[in-house]
Amino acid sequence: MTAASTLVDTDPSPSLDDLFSDIKPALSHRQAVIESARCYYCYDAPCVKACPSDIDIPSFIASIHHEDVNGAAETIYEQNIMGGSCARVCPTEILCEQACVRNKEEECAPVLIGLLQRHATDNAVFPDHPIGRASSTGKKVAVVGAGPAGLSCAHRLAVLGNEVDVFEAQSKAGGLNEYGIAKYKLTNQFAQKEVDFILGVGGITIHYNKALGKEIHLTDLTERYDSVFLGIGLQDTRELGLANESSIGVLNAVDFIKELRQANDIDQLDVPRTSAVVIGAGNTAIDIACQLKRLGTEEVTLVYRRGEADMSATDHEQHIAKEHQVRIKTWARPVEIRADANNHVSAVRFAKTRIDNGKLMDTGEFFEVACEAVYKAVGQSLAYPADETQLPDLGGGKISTMDNFKTTISKVFAGGDCTGVGQDLTVEAVQQGKLAAMAIHNYLTGSEGN
Ligand SMILES: Cc1cc2nc3c(=O)[nH]c(=O)nc-3n(C[C@H](O)[C@H](O)[C@H](O)COP(=O)(O)OP(=O)(O)OC[C@H]3O[C@@H](n4cnc5c(N)ncnc54)[C@H](O)[C@@H]3O)c2cc1C
Ligand code: SF4
């Protein structure tokens, strides 16, 4: 008997790759050349001042215009070795593209700097790593954490002639690029391809499944290495402090996103079918809400205690949420999680809020949203590594550093989200890793302060 044939594809489960296709598809070669011609190559360019990683934007755009993508990519990598992922995840609408002189009504739109950066880094082909290494300093540095801060630090240290051992708690490198950023921003295993590219410089060895405070300890590292860099990010999600918060179905948004980023098949995920509540107002809240909609949750309600203007998610991210039909409810704070007889979350009760004399107050009115699951996206904090009694001073739940990324412990530097420097953005972590590497190198070679 021959197999039945159908005119339509009857497979009910779309693949995860189908559901999470690239949110900002790449420019074609022709589009990139035309877009590059829109740049005025400004002297003292405001876009460069707005780029946290100091990329010479007009220069790389000029290279694209002259059809020299390798030259364009080299200009980007000189300052930012993770220019490929930053091109995909940077909120350009509040950074370089916001500052672009063409970002005016009469000019229609800013130059599409992010997409041009992606065009250069995606299409450049180098026989060897584009940035060579200096001769050996004979120094060895330990980097803890293989996220954007740690990888960028390791890369710059290697370029400057140092040997680097990276210790990573997980079985893969990339940090939140691998485990946190929304699946539709970094598609097609991009995070791992970028890690391989970075390691291509040589002189860097990553030791996986080695967590500070468990398999490795700061005192050992400071004895065995000439210097140590901590780039351990923020691993804990803040609690809401509500009754029934430990009910089944109440989850940390980042934990679910991590599962989603590692899943090969939609059936591996426990996705709420009818309704979910997301609590928070940052990019993590928007990301989880949009990803749930793509996974098929019918109703996703994102609730924030203040107004839309106060949300830390950018206008662009809020717009993406609306495009995904996420219901955004502002001026409400959760006061109780309701659970059923099986201890499974069934609803969240909210108090309506308002501002009174500059203070956030309850109005005295309440409402409830029924849901199958609640995702907490109310900010991340440092996970204090077990047994690590010597970890540098924690100021406000973060590692405190001085101007040159030094901590209070001799030889130990830190950067990225785990410190209180800058906004928690990928590009900021990459920049801090790079600057910390330069500070460590100066410290090791005695050229500090020169
Ligand atoms: C859900 C989510 C979405 C985001 N989306 C965006 C976005 O779209 N655009 C953007 O610019 N930014 C975004 N961010 C922020 C961005 O991801 C971070 O600012 C950036 O990843 C910080 O880099 P990092 O290297 O400091 O930390 P991380 O990326 O967190 O990396 C830290 C690394 O250290 C490892 N580690 C932790 N503890 C230990 C230990 N004890 N021992 C050894 N290793 C350890 C971790 O496993 C990890 O690999 C998002 C963040 C989240 C949570
Ligand atoms: S501000 Fe805009 S136009 Fe000027 S150099 Fe930067 S990208 Fe080009």
Side-chain angles (χ1 to χ4, degrees):
M1 211 165 80
T2 55
S5 68
T6 57
L7 289 176
V8 289
D9 182 0
T10 51
D11 182 359
S13 307
S15 79
L16 282 173
D17 285 345
D18 292 341
L19 288 175
F20 292 97
S21 56
D22 212 329
I23 197 163
K24 256 197 222 169
L27 296 175
S28 67
H29 174 73
R30 191 174 150 73
Q31 285 171 322
V33 172
I34 293 170
E35 186 60 22
S36 65
R38 292 187 61 235
C39 179
Y40 293 145
Y41 312 116
C42 307
Y43 175 74
D44 216 11
C47 57
V48 178
K49 289 196 184 128
C51 171
S53 64
D54 300 330
I55 293 174
D56 186 344
I57 294 167
S59 169
F60 92 69
I61 294 180
S63 298
I64 294 178
H65 190 55
H66 295 116
E67 309 215 9
D68 175 14
V69 285
N70 277 12
E74 265 172 46
T75 303
I76 295 162
Y77 291 140
E78 258 167 42
Q79 291 298 340
N80 182 339
I81 199 62
M82 301 184 82
S85 55
C86 288
R88 289 162 163 82
V89 310
C90 259
T92 50
E93 67 281 2
I94 57 164
L95 299 171
C96 53
E97 290 179 18
Q98 186 187 49
C100 175
V101 296
R102 300 207 67 166
N103 187 22
K104 295 193 184 105
E105 214 170 294
E106 58 275 25
E107 300 262 9
C108 290
V111 174
L112 300 175
I113 302 167
L115 281 173
L116 287 172
Q117 179 165 317
R118 173 169 174 181
H119 179 76
T121 50
D122 281 5
N123 291 292
V125 181
F126 297 106
D128 302 306
H129 197 74
I131 305 180
R133 292 184 70 194
S135 52
S136 171
T137 59
K139 304 288 182 188
K140 218 163 171 187
V141 182
V143 167
V144 186
L151 289 170
S152 165
C153 181
H155 178 267
R156 186 59 57 146
L157 282 165
V159 165
L160 292 168
N162 305 287
E163 290 297 309
V164 189
D165 277 346
V166 181
F167 297 94
E168 167 54 48
Q170 301 288 332
S171 56
K172 285 186 188 172
L176 289 168
N177 271 5
E178 174 60 37
Y179 293 106
I181 301 272
K183 206 169 165 69
Y184 46 69
K185 290 187 188 166
L186 284 174
T187 56
N188 199 17
Q189 306 294 327
F190 187 81
Q192 289 315 299
K193 289 180 189 159
E194 192 172 56
V195 170
D196 293 343
F197 164 69
I198 291 170
L199 296 183
V201 72
I204 306 172
T205 309
I206 305 189
H207 305 271
Y208 294 100
N209 303 309
K210 299 278 179 249
L212 184 74
K214 290 184 186 156
E215 292 82 15
I216 52 164
H217 299 276
L218 203 51
T219 35
D220 294 344
L221 295 181
T222 50
E223 272 167 31
R224 284 167 45 211
Y225 292 87
D226 296 299
S227 180
V228 178
F229 173 78
L230 300 176
I232 55 177
L234 300 172
Q235 308 300 321
D236 274 354
T237 299
R238 295 203 181 101
E239 296 295 316
L240 297 169
L242 300 179
N244 295 325
E245 199 166 334
S246 55
S247 312
I248 302 161
V250 181
L251 304 159
N252 294 332
V254 286
D255 293 344
F256 183 81
I257 295 173
K258 185 174 176 183
E259 262 182 59
L260 168 59
R261 286 294 309 267
Q262 299 307 305
N264 298 318
D265 192 326
I266 193 167
D267 297 331
Q268 286 173 258
L269 296 162
D270 197 4
V271 181
R273 202 171 50 82
T274 56
S275 55
V277 166
V278 174
I279 298 172
N283 290 346
T284 305
I286 302 278
D287 282 355
I288 181 91
C290 295
Q291 290 177 107
L292 286 168
K293 285 298 283 187
R294 286 194 182 206
L295 286 166
T297 306
E298 284 164 24
E299 183 105 332
V300 180
T301 310
L302 185 153
V303 189
Y304 176 46
R305 63 201 165 110
R306 292 175 185 269
E308 272 185 24
D310 305 304
M311 290 174 78
S312 60
T314 63
D315 289 350
H316 175 69
E317 297 277 346
Q318 290 180 41
H319 178 72
I320 294 177
K322 286 171 190 164
E323 277 186 344
H324 280 82
Q325 277 94 44
V326 171
R327 205 153 64 106
I328 298 183
K329 273 194 92 58
T330 49
W331 300 112
R333 66 177 189 91
V335 287
E336 193 187 338
I337 289 172
R338 297 215 194 268
D340 63 18
N342 300 319
N343 194 30
H344 195 290
V345 62
S346 58
V348 186
R349 182 172 154 81
F350 291 92
K352 290 191 182 178
T353 55
R354 66 183 155 90
I355 293 286
D356 197 350
N357 276 331
K359 274 193 160 178
L360 190 71
M361 313 275 287
D362 289 356
T363 64
E365 293 169 90
F366 296 87
F367 66 94
E368 237 177 67
V369 181
C371 59
E372 276 174 58
V374 175
Y375 297 88
K376 296 184 279 181
V378 287
Q380 298 295 114
S381 59
L382 187 72
Y384 192 86
D387 303 336
E388 217 37 75
T389 49
Q390 282 228 357
L391 199 71
D393 266 356
L394 303 184
K398 294 200 166 191
I399 299 175
S400 53
T401 52
M402 296 168 234
D403 279 352
N404 52 8
F405 301 92
K406 267 187 179 165
T407 68
T408 47
I409 299 181
S410 167
K411 284 187 179 186
V412 181
F413 294 68
D417 284 6
C418 65
T419 64
V421 187
Q423 288 171 279
D424 291 347
L425 291 176
T426 307
V427 66
E428 294 255 14
V430 174
Q431 175 74 348
Q432 289 170 31
K434 176 184 82 182
L435 295 178
M438 287 151 74
I440 293 170
H441 180 77
N442 289 344
Y443 161 78
L444 294 179
T445 54
S447 47
E448 220 173 0
N450 290 347

PDB file of all heavy atoms in Angstrom, residues 36 38-48 57-59 61 96-97 99-103 110-113 116, ligand 2:
ATOM      1  N   SER A  36      24.375  52.314   3.238  1.00  0.00           N
ATOM      2  CA  SER A  36      25.653  52.937   3.652  1.00  0.00           C
ATOM      3  C   SER A  36      25.816  54.313   2.995  1.00  0.00           C
ATOM      4  O   SER A  36      26.466  55.192   3.552  1.00  0.00           O
ATOM      5  CB  SER A  36      26.841  52.027   3.324  1.00  0.00           C
ATOM      6  OG  SER A  36      26.959  51.880   1.924  1.00  0.00           O
ATOM      7  N   ARG A  38      23.633  56.488   2.797  1.00  0.00           N
ATOM      8  CA  ARG A  38      22.841  57.489   3.533  1.00  0.00           C
ATOM      9  C   ARG A  38      23.664  58.167   4.638  1.00  0.00           C
ATOM     10  O   ARG A  38      23.249  59.172   5.195  1.00  0.00           O
ATOM     11  CB  ARG A  38      21.597  56.839   4.165  1.00  0.00           C
ATOM     12  CG  ARG A  38      20.567  56.367   3.139  1.00  0.00           C
ATOM     13  CD  ARG A  38      19.285  55.891   3.820  1.00  0.00           C
ATOM     14  NE  ARG A  38      18.668  56.948   4.581  1.00  0.00           N
ATOM     15  CZ  ARG A  38      18.359  56.876   5.867  1.00  0.00           C
ATOM     16  NH1 ARG A  38      18.620  55.777   6.549  1.00  0.00           N
ATOM     17  NH2 ARG A  38      17.790  57.883   6.476  1.00  0.00           N
ATOM     18  N   CYS A  39      24.830  57.594   4.963  1.00  0.00           N
ATOM     19  CA  CYS A  39      25.638  58.149   6.067  1.00  0.00           C
ATOM     20  C   CYS A  39      26.349  59.417   5.600  1.00  0.00           C
ATOM     21  O   CYS A  39      26.866  59.475   4.486  1.00  0.00           O
ATOM     22  CB  CYS A  39      26.648  57.088   6.513  1.00  0.00           C
ATOM     23  SG  CYS A  39      27.723  57.645   7.842  1.00  0.00           S
ATOM     24  N   TYR A  40      26.364  60.442   6.455  1.00  0.00           N
ATOM     25  CA  TYR A  40      27.055  61.700   6.121  1.00  0.00           C
ATOM     26  C   TYR A  40      28.525  61.662   6.555  1.00  0.00           C
ATOM     27  O   TYR A  40      29.213  62.645   6.417  1.00  0.00           O
ATOM     28  CB  TYR A  40      26.371  62.875   6.837  1.00  0.00           C
ATOM     29  CG  TYR A  40      24.975  63.201   6.372  1.00  0.00           C
ATOM     30  CD1 TYR A  40      24.014  63.664   7.280  1.00  0.00           C
ATOM     31  CD2 TYR A  40      24.610  63.086   5.035  1.00  0.00           C
ATOM     32  CE1 TYR A  40      22.728  63.989   6.875  1.00  0.00           C
ATOM     33  CE2 TYR A  40      23.318  63.405   4.617  1.00  0.00           C
ATOM     34  CZ  TYR A  40      22.386  63.851   5.545  1.00  0.00           C
ATOM     35  OH  TYR A  40      21.112  64.170   5.139  1.00  0.00           O
ATOM     36  N   TYR A  41      28.981  60.565   7.134  1.00  0.00           N
ATOM     37  CA  TYR A  41      30.354  60.435   7.637  1.00  0.00           C
ATOM     38  C   TYR A  41      30.714  61.671   8.470  1.00  0.00           C
ATOM     39  O   TYR A  41      31.678  62.389   8.189  1.00  0.00           O
ATOM     40  CB  TYR A  41      31.364  60.210   6.490  1.00  0.00           C
ATOM     41  CG  TYR A  41      30.870  59.119   5.558  1.00  0.00           C
ATOM     42  CD1 TYR A  41      30.545  59.389   4.236  1.00  0.00           C
ATOM     43  CD2 TYR A  41      30.678  57.834   6.029  1.00  0.00           C
ATOM     44  CE1 TYR A  41      30.034  58.389   3.406  1.00  0.00           C
ATOM     45  CE2 TYR A  41      30.179  56.830   5.211  1.00  0.00           C
ATOM     46  CZ  TYR A  41      29.853  57.122   3.903  1.00  0.00           C
ATOM     47  OH  TYR A  41      29.346  56.145   3.101  1.00  0.00           O
ATOM     48  N   CYS A  42      29.895  61.919   9.462  1.00  0.00           N
ATOM     49  CA  CYS A  42      30.025  63.141  10.274  1.00  0.00           C
ATOM     50  C   CYS A  42      31.380  63.216  10.963  1.00  0.00           C
ATOM     51  O   CYS A  42      31.876  62.209  11.487  1.00  0.00           O
ATOM     52  CB  CYS A  42      28.972  63.171  11.376  1.00  0.00           C
ATOM     53  SG  CYS A  42      27.305  62.932  10.787  1.00  0.00           S
ATOM     54  N   TYR A  43      31.925  64.422  11.004  1.00  0.00           N
ATOM     55  CA  TYR A  43      33.110  64.693  11.815  1.00  0.00           C
ATOM     56  C   TYR A  43      32.611  64.707  13.262  1.00  0.00           C
ATOM     57  O   TYR A  43      31.534  65.230  13.537  1.00  0.00           O
ATOM     58  CB  TYR A  43      33.708  66.041  11.401  1.00  0.00           C
ATOM     59  CG  TYR A  43      34.864  66.459  12.268  1.00  0.00           C
ATOM     60  CD1 TYR A  43      36.103  65.828  12.149  1.00  0.00           C
ATOM     61  CD2 TYR A  43      34.707  67.470  13.207  1.00  0.00           C
ATOM     62  CE1 TYR A  43      37.155  66.200  12.955  1.00  0.00           C
ATOM     63  CE2 TYR A  43      35.760  67.848  14.019  1.00  0.00           C
ATOM     64  CZ  TYR A  43      36.978  67.205  13.894  1.00  0.00           C
ATOM     65  OH  TYR A  43      38.015  67.559  14.692  1.00  0.00           O
ATOM     66  N   ASP A  44      33.358  64.174  14.214  1.00  0.00           N
ATOM     67  CA  ASP A  44      32.930  64.154  15.610  1.00  0.00           C
ATOM     68  C   ASP A  44      31.548  63.485  15.732  1.00  0.00           C
ATOM     69  O   ASP A  44      30.625  64.003  16.372  1.00  0.00           O
ATOM     70  CB  ASP A  44      32.831  65.603  16.121  1.00  0.00           C
ATOM     71  CG  ASP A  44      33.268  65.689  17.571  1.00  0.00           C
ATOM     72  OD1 ASP A  44      33.820  64.689  18.056  1.00  0.00           O
ATOM     73  OD2 ASP A  44      33.036  66.721  18.200  1.00  0.00           O
ATOM     74  N   ALA A  45      31.402  62.336  15.081  1.00  0.00           N
ATOM     75  CA  ALA A  45      30.089  61.704  14.884  1.00  0.00           C
ATOM     76  C   ALA A  45      29.361  61.406  16.197  1.00  0.00           C
ATOM     77  O   ALA A  45      29.919  60.723  17.074  1.00  0.00           O
ATOM     78  CB  ALA A  45      30.271  60.416  14.093  1.00  0.00           C
ATOM     79  N   PRO A  46      28.130  61.894  16.345  1.00  0.00           N
ATOM     80  CA  PRO A  46      27.382  61.633  17.577  1.00  0.00           C
ATOM     81  C   PRO A  46      27.067  60.155  17.795  1.00  0.00           C
ATOM     82  O   PRO A  46      26.941  59.701  18.926  1.00  0.00           O
ATOM     83  CB  PRO A  46      26.092  62.446  17.402  1.00  0.00           C
ATOM     84  CG  PRO A  46      26.017  62.808  15.965  1.00  0.00           C
ATOM     85  CD  PRO A  46      27.399  62.778  15.414  1.00  0.00           C
ATOM     86  N   CYS A  47      26.973  59.384  16.700  1.00  0.00           N
ATOM     87  CA  CYS A  47      26.681  57.949  16.855  1.00  0.00           C
ATOM     88  C   CYS A  47      27.826  57.251  17.588  1.00  0.00           C
ATOM     89  O   CYS A  47      27.600  56.332  18.376  1.00  0.00           O
ATOM     90  CB  CYS A  47      26.431  57.305  15.487  1.00  0.00           C
ATOM     91  SG  CYS A  47      27.803  57.516  14.345  1.00  0.00           S
ATOM     92  N   VAL A  48      29.067  57.703  17.335  1.00  0.00           N
ATOM     93  CA  VAL A  48      30.228  57.069  17.990  1.00  0.00           C
ATOM     94  C   VAL A  48      30.206  57.377  19.480  1.00  0.00           C
ATOM     95  O   VAL A  48      30.451  56.506  20.319  1.00  0.00           O
ATOM     96  CB  VAL A  48      31.561  57.556  17.357  1.00  0.00           C
ATOM     97  CG1 VAL A  48      32.754  56.937  18.076  1.00  0.00           C
ATOM     98  CG2 VAL A  48      31.600  57.215  15.870  1.00  0.00           C
ATOM     99  N   ILE A  57      32.028  54.179  13.807  1.00  0.00           N
ATOM    100  CA  ILE A  57      30.867  53.842  12.960  1.00  0.00           C
ATOM    101  C   ILE A  57      30.986  54.423  11.541  1.00  0.00           C
ATOM    102  O   ILE A  57      30.853  53.677  10.557  1.00  0.00           O
ATOM    103  CB  ILE A  57      29.555  54.248  13.670  1.00  0.00           C
ATOM    104  CG1 ILE A  57      29.379  53.368  14.921  1.00  0.00           C
ATOM    105  CG2 ILE A  57      28.343  54.128  12.736  1.00  0.00           C
ATOM    106  CD1 ILE A  57      28.312  53.846  15.898  1.00  0.00           C
ATOM    107  N   PRO A  58      31.266  55.728  11.387  1.00  0.00           N
ATOM    108  CA  PRO A  58      31.352  56.236  10.006  1.00  0.00           C
ATOM    109  C   PRO A  58      32.424  55.511   9.189  1.00  0.00           C
ATOM    110  O   PRO A  58      32.245  55.270   7.993  1.00  0.00           O
ATOM    111  CB  PRO A  58      31.684  57.722  10.166  1.00  0.00           C
ATOM    112  CG  PRO A  58      31.860  57.976  11.606  1.00  0.00           C
ATOM    113  CD  PRO A  58      31.394  56.797  12.388  1.00  0.00           C
ATOM    114  N   SER A  59      33.510  55.119   9.855  1.00  0.00           N
ATOM    115  CA  SER A  59      34.590  54.459   9.122  1.00  0.00           C
ATOM    116  C   SER A  59      34.137  53.080   8.616  1.00  0.00           C
ATOM    117  O   SER A  59      34.368  52.724   7.457  1.00  0.00           O
ATOM    118  CB  SER A  59      35.791  54.373  10.053  1.00  0.00           C
ATOM    119  OG  SER A  59      36.738  53.566   9.516  1.00  0.00           O
ATOM    120  N   ILE A  61      31.087  52.139   8.070  1.00  0.00           N
ATOM    121  CA  ILE A  61      30.026  52.315   7.062  1.00  0.00           C
ATOM    122  C   ILE A  61      30.665  52.707   5.715  1.00  0.00           C
ATOM    123  O   ILE A  61      30.255  52.229   4.649  1.00  0.00           O
ATOM    124  CB  ILE A  61      28.974  53.351   7.532  1.00  0.00           C
ATOM    125  CG1 ILE A  61      28.225  52.802   8.753  1.00  0.00           C
ATOM    126  CG2 ILE A  61      27.987  53.667   6.398  1.00  0.00           C
ATOM    127  CD1 ILE A  61      27.158  53.722   9.331  1.00  0.00           C
ATOM    128  N   CYS A  96      23.279  54.306  19.322  1.00  0.00           N
ATOM    129  CA  CYS A  96      23.821  54.975  18.128  1.00  0.00           C
ATOM    130  C   CYS A  96      22.747  55.541  17.200  1.00  0.00           C
ATOM    131  O   CYS A  96      22.874  56.659  16.698  1.00  0.00           O
ATOM    132  CB  CYS A  96      24.716  54.002  17.356  1.00  0.00           C
ATOM    133  SG  CYS A  96      23.906  52.438  16.957  1.00  0.00           S
ATOM    134  N   GLU A  97      21.676  54.785  16.959  1.00  0.00           N
ATOM    135  CA  GLU A  97      20.677  55.239  15.980  1.00  0.00           C
ATOM    136  C   GLU A  97      19.852  56.397  16.529  1.00  0.00           C
ATOM    137  O   GLU A  97      19.378  57.235  15.776  1.00  0.00           O
ATOM    138  CB  GLU A  97      19.791  54.076  15.528  1.00  0.00           C
ATOM    139  CG  GLU A  97      20.580  53.102  14.657  1.00  0.00           C
ATOM    140  CD  GLU A  97      19.790  51.898  14.179  1.00  0.00           C
ATOM    141  OE1 GLU A  97      18.542  51.930  14.214  1.00  0.00           O
ATOM    142  OE2 GLU A  97      20.430  50.904  13.782  1.00  0.00           O
ATOM    143  N   ALA A  99      21.183  58.724  18.320  1.00  0.00           N
ATOM    144  CA  ALA A  99      22.056  59.894  18.206  1.00  0.00           C
ATOM    145  C   ALA A  99      22.315  60.290  16.755  1.00  0.00           C
ATOM    146  O   ALA A  99      22.766  61.411  16.504  1.00  0.00           O
ATOM    147  CB  ALA A  99      23.386  59.582  18.896  1.00  0.00           C
ATOM    148  N   CYS A 100      22.047  59.402  15.805  1.00  0.00           N
ATOM    149  CA  CYS A 100      22.369  59.673  14.389  1.00  0.00           C
ATOM    150  C   CYS A 100      21.726  60.979  13.937  1.00  0.00           C
ATOM    151  O   CYS A 100      20.539  61.218  14.197  1.00  0.00           O
ATOM    152  CB  CYS A 100      21.880  58.508  13.526  1.00  0.00           C
ATOM    153  SG  CYS A 100      22.095  58.808  11.769  1.00  0.00           S
ATOM    154  N   VAL A 101      22.500  61.817  13.215  1.00  0.00           N
ATOM    155  CA  VAL A 101      21.972  63.120  12.777  1.00  0.00           C
ATOM    156  C   VAL A 101      20.806  62.952  11.794  1.00  0.00           C
ATOM    157  O   VAL A 101      20.051  63.897  11.575  1.00  0.00           O
ATOM    158  CB  VAL A 101      23.074  64.007  12.137  1.00  0.00           C
ATOM    159  CG1 VAL A 101      24.144  64.369  13.139  1.00  0.00           C
ATOM    160  CG2 VAL A 101      23.669  63.337  10.912  1.00  0.00           C
ATOM    161  N   ARG A 102      20.658  61.790  11.198  1.00  0.00           N
ATOM    162  CA  ARG A 102      19.530  61.575  10.282  1.00  0.00           C
ATOM    163  C   ARG A 102      18.276  61.095  11.018  1.00  0.00           C
ATOM    164  O   ARG A 102      17.270  60.804  10.390  1.00  0.00           O
ATOM    165  CB  ARG A 102      19.918  60.578   9.186  1.00  0.00           C
ATOM    166  CG  ARG A 102      21.097  61.065   8.355  1.00  0.00           C
ATOM    167  CD  ARG A 102      21.105  60.497   6.965  1.00  0.00           C
ATOM    168  NE  ARG A 102      19.990  60.975   6.169  1.00  0.00           N
ATOM    169  CZ  ARG A 102      19.907  60.855   4.844  1.00  0.00           C
ATOM    170  NH1 ARG A 102      20.890  60.301   4.171  1.00  0.00           N
ATOM    171  NH2 ARG A 102      18.842  61.283   4.189  1.00  0.00           N
ATOM    172  N   ASN A 103      18.361  61.023  12.349  1.00  0.00           N
ATOM    173  CA  ASN A 103      17.183  60.596  13.127  1.00  0.00           C
ATOM    174  C   ASN A 103      16.269  61.796  13.371  1.00  0.00           C
ATOM    175  O   ASN A 103      16.047  62.212  14.499  1.00  0.00           O
ATOM    176  CB  ASN A 103      17.637  59.976  14.451  1.00  0.00           C
ATOM    177  CG  ASN A 103      16.483  59.372  15.225  1.00  0.00           C
ATOM    178  OD1 ASN A 103      15.440  59.051  14.635  1.00  0.00           O
ATOM    179  ND2 ASN A 103      16.649  59.220  16.533  1.00  0.00           N
ATOM    180  N   PRO A 110      16.955  57.193  11.020  1.00  0.00           N
ATOM    181  CA  PRO A 110      18.410  57.170  11.195  1.00  0.00           C
ATOM    182  C   PRO A 110      19.038  56.170  10.234  1.00  0.00           C
ATOM    183  O   PRO A 110      18.357  55.287   9.711  1.00  0.00           O
ATOM    184  CB  PRO A 110      18.572  56.686  12.647  1.00  0.00           C
ATOM    185  CG  PRO A 110      17.330  55.943  12.947  1.00  0.00           C
ATOM    186  CD  PRO A 110      16.240  56.592  12.155  1.00  0.00           C
ATOM    187  N   VAL A 111      20.341  56.300  10.032  1.00  0.00           N
ATOM    188  CA  VAL A 111      21.066  55.269   9.282  1.00  0.00           C
ATOM    189  C   VAL A 111      20.927  53.964  10.075  1.00  0.00           C
ATOM    190  O   VAL A 111      21.027  53.969  11.313  1.00  0.00           O
ATOM    191  CB  VAL A 111      22.564  55.659   9.133  1.00  0.00           C
ATOM    192  CG1 VAL A 111      23.354  54.529   8.475  1.00  0.00           C
ATOM    193  CG2 VAL A 111      22.695  56.958   8.340  1.00  0.00           C
ATOM    194  N   LEU A 112      20.695  52.864   9.396  1.00  0.00           N
ATOM    195  CA  LEU A 112      20.459  51.580  10.075  1.00  0.00           C
ATOM    196  C   LEU A 112      21.802  50.964  10.497  1.00  0.00           C
ATOM    197  O   LEU A 112      22.301  50.001   9.901  1.00  0.00           O
ATOM    198  CB  LEU A 112      19.674  50.632   9.173  1.00  0.00           C
ATOM    199  CG  LEU A 112      18.290  51.145   8.756  1.00  0.00           C
ATOM    200  CD1 LEU A 112      17.628  50.193   7.774  1.00  0.00           C
ATOM    201  CD2 LEU A 112      17.400  51.333   9.999  1.00  0.00           C
ATOM    202  N   ILE A 113      22.384  51.564  11.535  1.00  0.00           N
ATOM    203  CA  ILE A 113      23.753  51.216  11.939  1.00  0.00           C
ATOM    204  C   ILE A 113      23.845  49.750  12.383  1.00  0.00           C
ATOM    205  O   ILE A 113      24.779  49.025  12.019  1.00  0.00           O
ATOM    206  CB  ILE A 113      24.232  52.166  13.068  1.00  0.00           C
ATOM    207  CG1 ILE A 113      24.166  53.616  12.587  1.00  0.00           C
ATOM    208  CG2 ILE A 113      25.648  51.806  13.525  1.00  0.00           C
ATOM    209  CD1 ILE A 113      24.310  54.668  13.688  1.00  0.00           C
ATOM    210  N   LEU A 116      23.770  47.438   9.441  1.00  0.00           N
ATOM    211  CA  LEU A 116      25.012  47.536   8.660  1.00  0.00           C
ATOM    212  C   LEU A 116      26.145  46.816   9.390  1.00  0.00           C
ATOM    213  O   LEU A 116      26.976  46.139   8.770  1.00  0.00           O
ATOM    214  CB  LEU A 116      25.370  49.008   8.411  1.00  0.00           C
ATOM    215  CG  LEU A 116      24.479  49.717   7.380  1.00  0.00           C
ATOM    216  CD1 LEU A 116      24.774  51.210   7.340  1.00  0.00           C
ATOM    217  CD2 LEU A 116      24.652  49.113   5.984  1.00  0.00           C
TER     218      LEU A 116
HETATM  219  S1  SF4 B   2      25.517  60.187  12.999  1.00  0.00           S
HETATM  220 FE1  SF4 B   2      24.457  59.026  11.355  1.00  0.00          FE
HETATM  221  S2  SF4 B   2      25.051  60.108   9.499  1.00  0.00           S
HETATM  222 FE2  SF4 B   2      26.518  60.794  11.060  1.00  0.00          FE
HETATM  223  S3  SF4 B   2      28.283  59.349  10.939  1.00  0.00           S
HETATM  224 FE3  SF4 B   2      26.859  58.468  12.416  1.00  0.00          FE
HETATM  225  S4  SF4 B   2      25.584  57.052  11.190  1.00  0.00           S
HETATM  226 FE4  SF4 B   2      26.577  58.469   9.720  1.00  0.00          FE
END
